[in-house]
Amino acid sequence: MPPESEYPLQSLTAARVVVVAGKGGVGKTTVTAVIARAASNAGLRVLVVELDGKPTLAELVPDLDVVSISAPDALDEYLRDNGFARIAKRLNRTGVIDMIGTAAPGIDDIVVLGKIKQLERSGEHDLIVVDGPAAGHAVTFLTAAAGLADSVRSGPVRAQADDVLELLGCDMGGKTVICRNLPTEKGRRRGQVGHQRDAAGLHQAQQPALG
């Protein structure tokens, strides 16, 4: 476990991507906005990513870049980028694209994370802060790529899974920090930071809470 730091922001911004996850109702979106604002005030170019389609983040940080990523839109882009434009068009026309994630577990998660990886790779921002899924979905969200990499040997799905694993730092020491937002026994809302070391086990080295 790394030594505790008096400057939790430095621990966060040492990575290129911060994913904020936590049980619903504990202030996850607020923590996302606070991290983004602090990083911007420190002079970093910050991109905020929200995954649930709510406009709250854009209202909290109106002067920062905010993008919304949905699984159907990310899958549509993924299919088009990999030469399956006709299939994407047909799936969109019939509405089936919204059901792909259920039919093929893990696909919707890796295309969303793959889109985040694409944004990180562009180099347009120093830090990407993601208002991630609620705690119940966070584990599958972060482990889907490892599962697909184990079961798919080659092709675009395997390449996407490998990209996501590289983003999560499973082989390279960590480009991503996971911030877990947890309520204390007194009802206060605090975030606990952990470096993502192993996507399969979600092993995290904890840093000081953000008060």
Side-chain angles (χ1 to χ4, degrees), residues 3 26 29 32 43 45 51 69 93 95 105 107 110-111 122 139 145 155-156 158 163 181 190 197 203 207:
V26 297
T29 298
T32 301
R45 298 170 299 164
L51 304 180
I69 301 176
R93 186 172 64 248
I107 290 293
I110 72 159
V111 294
S122 74
V139 173
R158 175 54 189 262
D163 272 352
N181 199 42
R190 316 183 81 178
R197 285 188 172 178
H203 177 66
Q207 294 290 335

Side-chain angles (χ1 to χ4, degrees), residues 40-77:
S40 177
N41 289 345
L44 299 181
R45 298 170 299 164
V46 179
L47 174 65
V48 184
V49 175
E50 59 92 11
L51 304 180
D52 61 9
K54 297 179 181 178
T56 308
L57 274 169
E59 296 172 358
L60 292 174
V61 286
D63 55 326
L64 300 184
D65 293 337
V66 179
V67 298
S68 177
I69 301 176
S70 70
D73 289 345
L75 178 58
D76 177 76
E77 182 177 334

Side-chain angles (χ1 to χ4, degrees), residues 15-32:
R16 294 291 306 277
V17 179
V18 173
V19 179
V20 181
K23 188 175 181 180
V26 297
K28 179 169 59 67
T29 298
T30 301
V31 170
T32 301

